[in-house]
Amino acid sequence: MTGPAAAPRKPVILTVDDDPAVSRAVARDLRRHYGEKFRIVRAESGPDALETLNELKLRGETVAVFVADYRMPQMSGIEFLEAAMDIFPMARRVLLTAYADTHAAIDAINVVDLDHYLLKPWDPPEEKLYPVIDALIEAWRATGERAIPHTKIIGHPWNARSSEVREFLARNRLYYSWFRSDEPKGAALLEAAGQDGMTLPVVITEQGETLIDPTDAELAATLGLTTTPSGDFYDLVVIGGGPAGLAAAVYGASEGLKTVLIERTATGGQAGQSSRIENYLGFPDGLSGAQLAERARRQAEKFDAELITAAEVVALEVDGVARTVHLSDGRAIGTRAVILAMGVEYRQLPAEGCADLTGAGVYYGATTSVASECDDDEVYVIGGANSAGQAAMYLSRTAKSVTLVIRRTLEDSMSHYLIQQIRSRDNIKEMPNTVVHAVKGNGHLEGICLEHTDTGEREEFACGRMFIFIGAEPRTDWLDGVVVRDDHGFIVAGPDLRDISGWTLDRPPHHLETSVPGVFVAGDVRSESAKRVAAAVGEGSMAVMLVHRYLAET
C-alpha cells in the first residue's frame, strides 16, 4: 500500500539582511501576505544566503524573488544578487536601501538587471511592499523557472535568417532552445530531422514538426500565435503594435469599440527591443522595452482587443465613409475608423560591404539573441541617440569593450542621464565626429573602417559585431496616393494639413486626423512627432478620443 503523493514544494521568496530585527520584519511582512503560496526563507548574510540557494537548487526547488539589503559587511546586496543570478537566473531581484544609497541602487539596475529597489522603511507594506512584490511574482510566473523549452532552433550565428527567427520568437515570448549547426547537439538534431544543414535555420516544434527556413507567418501559425482576425468588420483597426498602437488598442477596447490591432512582426515595435527605458513616467527604476510591451499587450487583451501578429497590411481603400484594410494574404477587413501607428524602421547604413554582412556580424538594433553572444568581444555601436546609448550600456555588461561611433557628439542627440552613465563605464569608448566608411569580412564581419569627418583620416579596426542605430524612416509607400505624406514619407495630420490640399470636409481636421477623415495617425510615423515612447503612448490614447469624436459626427 502506498501513501499519498508528496505535495509540491512552494516556490521560495528569499530575504537577506545582516540586521536581525530588519530581517525578521521583512520576513514577517512577506509571510503575512504570501505565506499561503510561497515559502519565506531568510538569511542574515550574503554567504549564508548563497549556501541556502545552493541547497535549494540541489533539492530541485525554485526561487521566485530575492529581497536583499544593500549595506551588508561581508557581501553587499549587489554582490549577493550578482552571485545569486548564477544559481536562479529567472528569480526577480529587489534591493532594500536607505535614501542615501539611492544612487547605488540605480547603478545596480544596470549591474545586476535589478527589477526594483525599495527605500527603508517600507511601511505601510500594503502600499509600498506588496504591490512591488505582486508585480514581480506575476512577471516571474510569466517567465518562471521553466523546463527546457521543446521548440528547438538549429542554425548558425553567421546565418542572417537564424538570427531573425530567434528574435521573432523572443519578441513574441515564444520560448526555445538554440543549437549551433556546427556543434554536436545541433548536428545530431539535424540528422534526426533528416536534414543536412545546407538550408538554415531548421525549427523543430514541440510536436516534432520540422520547419525549414520558415517565414514569420509560418512560425506564428505553427506555434500558436493569432495571425488572422476573427471578424470581417470592426469599429477600429489599429495598424502597428508599438507603444502608440498598443495604447490605442487598450483605450479603444476599454471604451467599448470593437478593436483589432494588426502587427507585422511583434508587439512592442522598436521600443520593445530597448534594453532599458529609464525616463518613462512612473517607472523610476526603468523598465525594458520587452516588459513595457508585454504589460501593454496583456492589458489590451484584458479588454478584449484582438492582437494579430505576422500579418501585413498592404492597402487602405477609401469609399465614401467606408474604410477597408487589405492584408497581404488577400483578406479584407471593413472598419469605421483607422489608426495608423506603424512606427519607423532602422535607416540602412550605406557603408561599403554593409548590406552583404547584415545578419552576419552587422545588425540593426541590439537584439537579445545576438547581444547574449558578445561575451568578451570588442563591439562597435554606430549612432548617438538614446537607442544607441541604451544598447552600449547593455552590451558593456558582457563585452570586453564597446566603442560608440558618433557622427557628431553625444551632447547633440542623447539624454543627459544616459551620457553620464556611459561616461562612468570604463569599457565604453566614444569616437565623435566619425562615420563608418566600410566593413569587411569573409562570410561574417571581421573588420571596420572608420573615417574621421573633421580630418578625413581613415582607420581600420578588428571587429566581430557591429550594432547600427543611425535613425529611422517610415515604411509608408503602401499609403501613396491615399493620405498626405511629407517629403520623407511621414504622415501629415491635423493643423499641418492646413496648407495642403486633400481635405474634403467643411470642418477642420482633428488634431491627429490625416487627410482622409476617420483615418488617424499616432506615434513616430506622424510627421513632426516627438519620437519618444511616452509621446507615442499619449498620441495613441488621444487618437482614440478623436475617433469617438469622429464617429459621433458621422
Side-chain angles (χ1 to χ4, degrees):
M1 183 175 177
T2 59
R9 289 181 179 271
K10 299 176 183 178
V12 169
I13 298 175
L14 182 138
T15 173
V16 51
D17 195 305
D18 66 305
D19 184 329
V22 174
S23 178
R24 287 193 296 270
V26 176
R28 179 201 64 220
D29 286 343
L30 291 173
R31 194 171 290 113
R32 180 188 304 159
H33 196 70
Y34 301 103
E36 184 177 342
K37 296 182 179 179
F38 291 85
R39 191 155 66 93
I40 311 303
V41 176
R42 70 183 183 93
E44 295 183 2
S45 74
D48 287 346
L50 291 176
E51 185 177 342
T52 299
L53 290 181
N54 283 314
E55 291 175 1
L56 293 172
K57 190 75 171 181
L58 288 173
R59 293 202 298 261
E61 299 191 49
T62 61
V63 177
V65 180
F66 300 125
V67 181
D69 184 54
Y70 170 62
R71 285 188 179 273
M72 294 188 290
Q74 292 176 273
M75 174 184 282
S76 74
I78 295 174
E79 291 170 334
F80 163 73
L81 291 174
E82 195 166 11
M85 287 168 63
D86 293 334
I87 305 171
F88 288 98
M90 304 305 292
R92 300 293 159 162
R93 296 167 284 279
V94 179
L95 195 68
L96 283 176
T97 181
Y99 181 79
D101 296 320
T102 300
H103 288 298
I106 293 172
D107 290 341
I109 292 170
N110 294 310
V111 174
V112 295
D113 198 19
L114 189 69
D115 292 295
H116 204 94
Y117 67 86
L118 280 172
L119 294 177
K120 296 188 289 186
W122 58 89
D123 290 328
E126 290 77 11
E127 294 180 12
K128 297 183 179 179
L129 177 65
Y130 299 152
V132 171
I133 303 298
D134 286 346
L136 296 181
I137 288 173
E138 183 181 359
W140 173 79
R141 281 182 171 140
T143 55
E145 291 290 334
R146 298 173 178 269
I148 295 175
H150 292 287
T151 300
K152 303 172 182 65
I153 303 174
I154 303 99
H156 195 276
W158 305 136
N159 175 263
R161 184 58 187 158
S162 295
S163 298
E164 292 170 358
V165 166
R166 293 175 70 186
E167 191 62 20
F168 178 82
L169 265 63
R171 291 181 62 192
N172 282 288
R173 294 157 293 280
L174 297 170
Y175 297 94
Y176 66 88
S177 293
W178 161 253
F179 300 90
R180 287 181 56 144
S181 59
D182 57 356
E183 293 182 346
K185 288 185 179 179
L189 286 169
L190 287 174
E191 183 178 357
Q195 299 299 314
D196 58 10
M198 297 300 293
T199 303
L200 296 174
V202 173
V203 178
I204 303 174
T205 70
E206 183 177 352
Q207 291 74 30
E209 182 179 355
T210 300
L211 305 176
I212 312 299
D213 189 16
T215 65
D216 288 353
E218 289 171 335
L219 284 168
T222 303
L223 298 176
L225 295 177
T226 304
T227 58
T228 57
S230 64
D232 296 321
F233 188 87
Y234 292 83
D235 295 320
L236 174 63
V237 172
V238 180
I239 304 173
L246 287 166
V250 168
Y251 279 87
S254 68
E255 293 177 10
L257 298 177
K258 184 181 180 183
T259 302
V260 61
L261 180 150
I262 302 171
E263 165 56 40
R264 187 174 65 177
T265 305
T267 52
Q270 278 194 341
Q273 297 174 272
S274 175
S275 57
R276 180 67 61 176
I277 303 169
E278 297 196 61
N279 57 355
Y280 190 70
L281 185 67
F283 290 87
D285 306 330
L287 77 168
S288 71
Q291 289 173 319
L292 178 64
E294 170 64 9
R295 293 174 184 181
R297 182 191 64 80
R298 294 204 312 266
Q299 201 171 11
E301 290 178 335
K302 182 180 80 169
F303 293 117
D304 294 326
E306 285 187 39
L307 302 185
I308 309 302
T309 305
E312 186 172 5
V313 177
V314 295
L316 174 62
E317 181 184 351
V318 179
D319 183 9
V321 296
R323 310 283 178 262
T324 305
V325 173
H326 294 269
L327 304 181
S328 59
D329 63 1
R331 183 161 182 170
I333 307 169
T335 182
R336 301 171 68 194
V338 176
I339 295 177
L340 303 171
M342 297 87 66
V344 291
E345 295 186 4
Y346 291 112
R347 183 175 293 125
Q348 302 296 294
L349 183 69
E352 178 185 339
C354 192
D356 294 336
L357 295 176
T358 297
V362 174
Y363 306 97
Y364 288 89
T367 62
T368 54
S369 57
V370 174
S372 65
E373 297 177 344
C374 292
D375 290 8
D376 299 320
D377 283 352
E378 295 180 348
V379 303
Y380 284 73
V381 174
I382 316 303
N386 278 11
S387 55
Q390 290 160 354
M393 289 295 296
Y394 178 60
L395 292 164
S396 70
R397 292 167 52 187
T398 55
K400 181 178 180 181
S401 68
V402 178
T403 301
L404 264 171
V405 178
I406 315 142
R407 179 179 289 274
R408 292 185 291 275
T409 66
L410 289 185
E411 283 77 7
D412 289 325
S413 54
M414 192 176 290
S415 295
H416 177 67
Y417 81 90
L418 199 48
I419 294 174
Q420 288 183 309
Q421 289 184 2
I422 287 169
R423 289 176 177 167
S424 70
R425 284 291 174 93
D426 293 336
N427 63 337
I428 299 181
K429 175 185 176 183
E430 299 172 41
M431 293 189 72
N433 305 309
T434 306
V435 297
V436 180
H437 173 69
V439 295
K440 300 177 180 180
N442 182 17
H444 62 90
L445 180 65
E446 296 174 296
I448 182 173
C449 178
L450 302 179
E451 179 177 317
H452 302 288
T453 57
D454 49 354
T455 64
E457 179 187 0
R458 291 177 181 173
E459 293 184 272
E460 291 193 11
F461 302 89
C463 175
R465 298 185 191 272
M466 179 176 77
F467 301 89
I468 303 170
F469 302 83
I470 58 169
E473 52 194 12
R475 295 287 186 265
T476 56
D477 291 347
W478 61 277
L479 288 167
D480 187 32
V482 180
V483 300
V484 171
R485 300 177 297 153
D486 65 19
D487 293 340
H488 302 288
F490 292 93
I491 298 169
V492 181
D496 293 336
L497 287 167
R498 187 178 296 113
D499 300 324
I500 301 175
S501 62
W503 185 252
T504 58
L505 301 185
D506 292 335
R507 66 165 176 84
H510 296 304
H511 181 64
L512 298 175
E513 198 167 20
T514 71
S515 57
V516 176
V519 177
F520 298 81
V521 61
D524 289 1
V525 76
R526 182 177 66 83
S527 179
E528 303 297 329
S529 64
K531 308 296 186 291
R532 288 290 187 269
V533 173
V537 170
E539 289 190 7
S541 56
M542 182 190 297
V544 172
M545 178 192 74
L546 299 174
V547 164
H548 280 290
R549 190 176 299 174
Y550 163 78
L551 294 177
E553 296 166 347
T554 57

